[in-house]
Amino acid sequence: MDGTTGHGGEERPGNITSDFCYVDAAVHSAGIWGSAGSRPFLGFALPRLQLQLAIIFFVTQFLHLLLRRFDLPRLVSEILAGIILGPTILGQYEYVEQALFPQEGDVYLDLLSKIGYIFFIFLSGVKMDPRTVLRTGIKAWTIGVLAVTLPLGGNLISTVLHQNEIHKYRIPAYKTTISIQNLFPFPVIASMLVDLKIMNTELGRLTLASALISDMVSNLSSTLITYGRVGIMSFADVIMIHSTFMTMCLILFILCIGRPLSLWIIQNTPEGKPVCRFHVVIMSFLVFVVVLLTDNVGLNYQYGPFLLGLAVPDGPPLGATLVDRLETLVSGLLAPLLVTFCGMNVNLVELYDLEFLGTVWVIVGLCLGLKLLSVFVPAVVCKVPVKDAVALSFIMSAQGVVQMAFYYYNYVNQTYDRETFSILTTSVLIQVAASSIIVKSLYDYSRMYAGYQKRDIQHTSNNSELRMLVCTHRVDDAVAVQKVLEASYPSKETPMAVYAIHLLELAGRAHPQLIDHQLGQKSSGESRTQKIIDILSSFEQQYAGAATVQQFTAMSLTKFMHHDICTVAFNKLASMIILPFHRKWNQQGKVIQDSSSLRSINCEVLELAPCSVAVLIDRHKVRRRPAAGGYTVGVAFFGGADDREALAYARRMARSPDVSLTVVRMVPWDIYAGDSQWDAVLDAEILKDTRMQMHDDIVYREERVKDGAETALLIHAMEEAFDLIMVGRRHKEDTPQLMGLCEWNDLPELGPVGDMLAAPDLTLPLSILVVQHQNIKTI
């Protein structure tokens, strides 16, 4: 070497020349087979980052597969993955520390995780509707406000009393820990409800409403306390005025730029269409601008994106599109990366100041105890059941990614040392795991309707009111169910009460809603809701005095919609729920929709419903054959509780002068002893009553069949003869009449006969009602 750097200047220590300096940051690798000199493949930043992400994702998923059977949320797996990959376990090995996770590579993981968290907190704000606070009941207000004020008062008193006992060097960490413990972040509580699958339950709705209030009150109180501390400092006037002025400028920027921009995007988006990609990019760019301003104002960088999210109108089109485009990447990869990265900074091997660490555990324990009591006592006073009040306390006291972000922020700012940060992260891990297990043991949503019997049509007397709950997703569903309701013959002697739920997917919102239109509440959803309301209102007007219709709109995540359906059915004492089938046909008989999410809803309702359930398979759009006069209904009867329920409903229809009923009983050639003796008695009784009621509009006949093949031929013959065929869903597996059909069952939720009638290639204008009798559960 000639003593120069090759860049036009003399070489100096640290690669500094007389003209300029440079940093030897190797980003791209020449590949495994390329020439990279003496630098190893993992010495390049980009391939090392890709390998790090792959390892983190693999370890997290592997742990989640192991732990989810114990009902532990994903957050536990993410923290454990970080602890395993960090200096506590694998970081003890020199190769892992220096090659896979070197210190100079932390900057890239740190940057990615912070970007993910910024968008996570922005989307959390987008999904929140501050106006919900104004519509919240007194119970949620009481719990939400007291949950914050009681621990806050207790912790302020504790801080004053014990301040002299803490070393001056530790006082900032002491106060910061108490302030973070008093947070009630809405995104954390909402995520926990989703993990526990109870968001749409009565407990879940109360928790969301209380959490929204607690989050706003805790943020407001922490801001006031912060300004109060600044105000008692020396030269406080200048600092406080400057800080307040800059904060107000940030808020004005969001209100005067962010909010109008959001409204302008919505106004320029065609109705029913998603926001275009360019507008999503603009909003994403605005998030980074707000983060930059927030950091320069002196606030924690997460406050700005959260306030901007609150300024964006929730729901479609803008809020829904932002959530749809960003949620998967942000919540699935980038935001969890922050949790894992925090775990990778945990070192539980090197702990020195055990006295202060013991104090940290005491602080965490006392704050948790105060929070639990401050939620439990007001909940019990508000007449929440004790078990639900305990579960509510643990959910409201949950910790998660928001607290960990605050801990890491203070660790970077050196308010915490590594020991304190490690203990606080471990406390989050323990609290999250314990809270999930305790709530799961206290609140089992699958047994919410246990112990209630005789919620069916069979045990509804002929002259009593028949209560039906009907569900719709599309206008087609409302048209189809209206035809069935008309055939059910509502009259003054046999009145009918119909409860209709229009199911809308929760898009761009965090708070599920159950809107009762009879109370004058209006849906902010799509225009098709009004069309469905008009269709069912016309049915009520047509049968005035004989039928009443109460309509609801349920806005929820698809995986929790079954809770809304079952809750309304339970509260309204419904005898039967009618669900729309997940397949739709056009006029040519071709399938135009096959929704797996709707199928999942139906399966969940069939499992949890507190009453009988029927799945309506409708092909009314298919070109109809010439009308033969009246509405023809056929029942294929094999025996069992489901078939009896289907026949009981059909017999009620047969009272209508416009309905003709045909009952076809499939009888095996050989004597079959598979049914229980009691089932056989009940079958014989209902068939006897049916034969006694036979007249011109009721026909009963028996058909002898050997196996499923002969049954299939008879069912196909019925397809040509009826407008509506009613069948039971479940039968004994060894029923001779169905032998061989179960092997070809593609849709188990319909049973072998219903599956055959729901075949996608069937091109007849035929409707099918697959009936399941109420599942009797014991307490």
Side-chain angles (χ1 to χ4, degrees):
M1 295 289 292
D2 58 358
T4 63
T5 63
H7 293 271
E10 295 182 2
E11 185 176 20
R12 294 186 181 182
N15 291 333
I16 300 177
T17 71
S18 58
D19 298 325
F20 58 88
C21 64
Y22 70 92
V23 177
D24 186 12
V27 179
H28 296 282
S29 167
I32 298 177
W33 309 112
S35 175
S38 60
R39 187 182 294 273
F41 176 70
L42 292 178
F44 296 91
L46 184 59
R48 183 177 62 235
L49 176 63
Q50 292 170 336
L51 181 60
Q52 288 172 343
L53 293 175
I55 292 173
I56 290 171
F57 184 77
F58 173 77
V59 175
T60 303
Q61 289 298 111
F62 177 75
L63 289 174
H64 184 60
L65 287 174
L66 293 179
L67 298 177
R68 69 179 180 181
R69 63 188 62 193
F70 301 107
D71 296 321
L72 293 176
R74 184 179 292 274
L75 187 71
V76 173
S77 305
E78 292 163 358
I79 299 176
L80 283 176
I83 294 175
I84 291 172
L85 295 173
T88 303
I89 300 179
L90 293 181
Q92 296 289 318
Y93 297 95
E94 185 176 353
Y95 176 78
V96 175
E97 183 182 11
Q98 295 183 0
L100 287 179
F101 296 99
Q103 189 173 0
E104 63 268 18
D106 286 352
V107 63
Y108 302 106
L109 286 176
D110 183 29
L111 182 61
L112 272 181
S113 63
K114 283 183 177 177
I115 290 175
Y117 181 71
I118 286 168
F119 277 95
F120 169 78
I121 208 70
F122 167 68
L123 292 178
S124 299
V126 170
K127 290 186 283 187
M128 288 175 63
D129 183 6
R131 294 171 298 177
T132 306
V133 175
L134 303 176
R135 301 191 295 264
T136 303
I138 187 65
K139 184 186 294 185
W141 267 102
T142 303
I143 296 171
V145 173
L146 293 179
V148 177
T149 53
L150 294 179
L152 183 63
N155 289 324
L156 287 176
I157 295 172
S158 176
T159 302
V160 173
L161 294 177
H162 298 92
Q163 188 166 351
N164 295 328
E165 300 176 10
I166 306 296
H167 192 280
K168 184 179 294 187
Y169 168 72
R170 295 292 191 179
I171 288 177
Y174 177 79
K175 292 182 177 179
T176 302
T177 302
I178 290 178
S179 63
I180 296 175
Q181 289 290 320
N182 284 332
L183 293 177
F184 289 83
F186 181 84
V188 170
I189 296 171
S191 298
M192 187 173 184
L193 291 174
V194 171
D195 290 334
L196 293 169
K197 302 178 181 179
I198 59 174
M199 177 178 276
N200 283 39
T201 62
E202 186 177 356
L203 175 63
R205 294 181 186 278
L206 176 61
T207 304
L208 284 173
S210 303
L212 185 60
I213 295 168
S214 295
D215 193 8
M216 293 187 174
V217 174
S218 64
N219 279 304
L220 179 62
S221 61
S222 63
T223 303
L224 293 175
I225 290 172
T226 301
Y227 279 116
R229 287 175 180 170
V230 173
I232 62 175
M233 293 171 58
S234 58
F235 59 89
D237 292 339
V238 177
I239 297 176
M240 190 171 184
I241 292 173
H242 180 267
S243 178
T244 304
F245 176 74
M246 296 300 292
T247 302
M248 294 303 298
C249 288
L250 173 66
I251 295 174
L252 288 174
F253 176 82
I254 292 173
L255 293 178
C256 298
I257 302 296
R259 179 73 176 182
L261 179 62
S262 302
L263 297 176
W264 179 82
I265 291 174
I266 292 173
Q267 291 172 0
N268 287 273
T269 301
E271 185 176 357
K273 299 291 184 180
V275 172
C276 71
R277 184 180 302 176
F278 177 68
H279 291 153
V280 175
V281 173
I282 291 177
M283 293 303 300
S284 302
F285 174 74
L286 189 60
V287 172
F288 287 113
V289 172
V290 169
V291 170
L292 181 64
L293 294 176
T294 306
D295 198 44
N296 281 277
V297 164
L299 296 175
N300 190 318
Y301 67 88
Q302 68 172 317
Y303 284 115
F306 182 69
L307 292 175
L308 178 62
L310 289 177
V312 175
D314 65 327
L318 181 57
T321 304
L322 288 172
V323 172
D324 182 59
R325 299 284 177 86
L326 302 175
E327 181 84 11
T328 301
L329 180 63
V330 171
S331 298
L333 177 63
L334 297 181
L337 186 60
L338 176 68
V339 178
T340 306
F341 186 66
C342 288
M344 291 171 65
N345 284 277
V346 170
N347 189 346
L348 298 175
V349 177
E350 299 176 1
L351 302 175
Y352 300 105
D353 191 353
L354 298 181
E355 182 179 353
F356 181 71
L357 297 183
T359 304
V360 172
W361 280 114
V362 172
I363 294 170
V364 171
L366 288 176
C367 290
L368 176 61
L370 277 173
K371 289 173 75 174
L372 291 173
L373 286 175
S374 65
V375 176
F376 175 77
V377 174
V380 172
V381 172
C382 292
K383 298 182 180 180
V384 176
V386 175
K387 267 192 173 183
D388 289 3
V390 175
L392 176 64
S393 302
F394 278 98
I395 297 172
M396 291 280 289
S397 305
Q399 297 208 5
V401 63
V402 175
Q403 283 91 343
M404 293 194 69
F406 275 107
Y407 291 146
Y408 182 67
Y409 176 81
N410 286 280
Y411 171 57
V412 172
N413 290 344
Q414 298 183 354
T415 303
Y416 294 143
D417 56 15
R418 190 163 195 166
E419 296 175 335
T420 307
F421 175 75
S422 300
I423 293 302
L424 289 171
T425 303
T426 306
S427 72
V428 174
L429 172 66
I430 295 172
Q431 285 190 50
V432 170
S435 298
S436 298
I437 293 172
I438 291 171
V439 174
K440 200 76 175 179
S441 63
L442 288 173
Y443 197 84
D444 185 4
Y445 71 90
S446 65
R447 300 184 61 80
M448 288 173 60
Y449 315 109
Y452 296 89
Q453 300 184 9
K454 296 184 178 180
R455 300 276 293 274
D456 55 20
I457 296 180
Q458 292 181 55
H459 294 93
T460 302
S461 62
N462 292 333
N463 297 325
S464 63
E465 184 181 59
L466 178 62
R467 299 185 171 218
M468 307 285 287
L469 174 64
V470 299
C471 304
T472 59
H473 295 278
R474 299 155 46 108
V475 176
D476 296 345
D477 300 330
V479 174
V481 80
Q482 181 188 16
K483 192 71 175 176
V484 174
L485 294 175
E486 290 173 351
S488 302
Y489 192 51
S491 63
K492 292 184 178 180
E493 292 75 22
T494 57
M496 177 181 293
V498 178
Y499 306 97
I501 301 183
H502 179 207
L503 302 172
L504 285 177
E505 185 175 2
L506 191 68
R509 295 184 174 95
H511 205 297
Q513 292 181 299
L514 183 62
I515 300 168
D516 186 350
H517 296 285
Q518 190 171 356
L519 299 178
Q521 298 176 345
K522 294 184 179 181
S523 170
S524 57
E526 303 170 17
S527 58
R528 64 182 178 184
T529 301
Q530 189 59 45
K531 295 179 181 179
I532 292 174
I533 292 174
D534 293 341
I535 290 172
L536 294 175
S537 296
S538 68
F539 166 76
E540 183 179 23
Q541 294 170 4
Q542 181 181 353
Y543 293 93
T548 60
V549 178
Q550 185 174 355
Q551 305 202 46
F552 302 86
T553 296
M555 303 178 67
S556 170
L557 296 175
T558 303
K559 58 184 175 182
F560 298 134
M561 280 182 179
H562 59 279
H563 282 305
D564 290 324
I565 297 170
C566 294
T567 299
V568 174
F570 180 77
N571 293 335
K572 300 300 182 182
L573 304 176
S575 296
M576 177 174 281
I577 301 170
I578 299 181
L579 302 170
F581 190 48
H582 64 272
R583 284 179 187 160
K584 308 297 177 188
W585 287 263
N586 62 10
Q587 291 185 344
Q588 289 72 39
K590 294 182 179 180
V591 176
I592 57 174
Q593 181 185 8
D594 193 343
S595 172
S596 59
S597 60
L598 300 187
R599 181 186 178 189
S600 176
I601 294 171
N602 290 353
C603 292
E604 293 286 354
V605 173
L606 288 167
E607 179 67 26
L608 295 176
C611 59
S612 297
V613 184
V615 179
L616 177 60
I617 306 166
D618 177 65
R619 295 185 177 88
H620 76 274
K621 277 191 173 181
V622 179
R623 291 173 181 168
R624 293 193 171 275
R625 52 188 169 240
Y631 191 70
T632 56
V633 179
V635 177
F637 191 92
F638 298 87
D642 292 355
D643 282 16
R644 291 194 296 272
E645 184 72 1
L647 182 54
Y649 189 20
R651 285 170 54 182
R652 191 174 184 106
M653 290 183 177
R655 295 182 179 187
S656 172
D658 299 324
V659 174
S660 58
L661 171 64
T662 301
V663 181
V664 181
R665 185 186 183 189
M666 311 293 181
V667 183
W669 275 97
D670 301 322
I671 297 176
Y672 172 60
D675 283 336
S676 67
Q677 194 170 10
W678 182 242
D679 264 339
V681 170
L682 294 177
D683 290 345
E685 184 68 23
I686 195 170
L687 290 172
K688 178 183 175 182
D689 289 346
T690 303
R691 288 194 296 268
M692 290 177 64
Q693 293 180 7
M694 284 177 59
H695 50 76
D696 293 341
D697 293 326
I698 298 183
V699 177
Y700 172 84
R701 71 172 190 263
E702 294 184 354
E703 299 285 350
R704 290 190 174 273
V705 292
K706 292 182 179 179
D707 52 22
E710 292 190 2
T711 298
L713 291 175
L714 285 173
I715 294 295
H716 288 314
M718 293 177 66
E719 294 170 357
E720 299 282 348
F722 300 104
D723 296 309
L724 173 68
I725 297 179
M726 303 176 67
V727 297
R729 174 183 171 236
R730 299 165 298 189
H731 303 90
K732 296 283 186 179
E733 292 184 1
D734 57 348
T735 303
Q737 306 97 302
L738 302 175
M739 198 67 67
L741 293 181
C742 295
E743 284 80 357
W744 302 96
N745 196 352
D746 293 331
L747 303 172
E749 68 272 18
L750 298 182
V753 182
D755 178 75
M756 181 168 50
L757 290 167
D761 55 350
L762 185 61
T763 58
L764 293 172
L766 171 71
S767 295
I768 298 98
L769 205 62
V770 181
V771 179
Q772 172 185 284
H773 184 251
Q774 175 196 12
N775 287 319
I776 303 297
K777 307 178 182 71
T778 57
I779 299 178

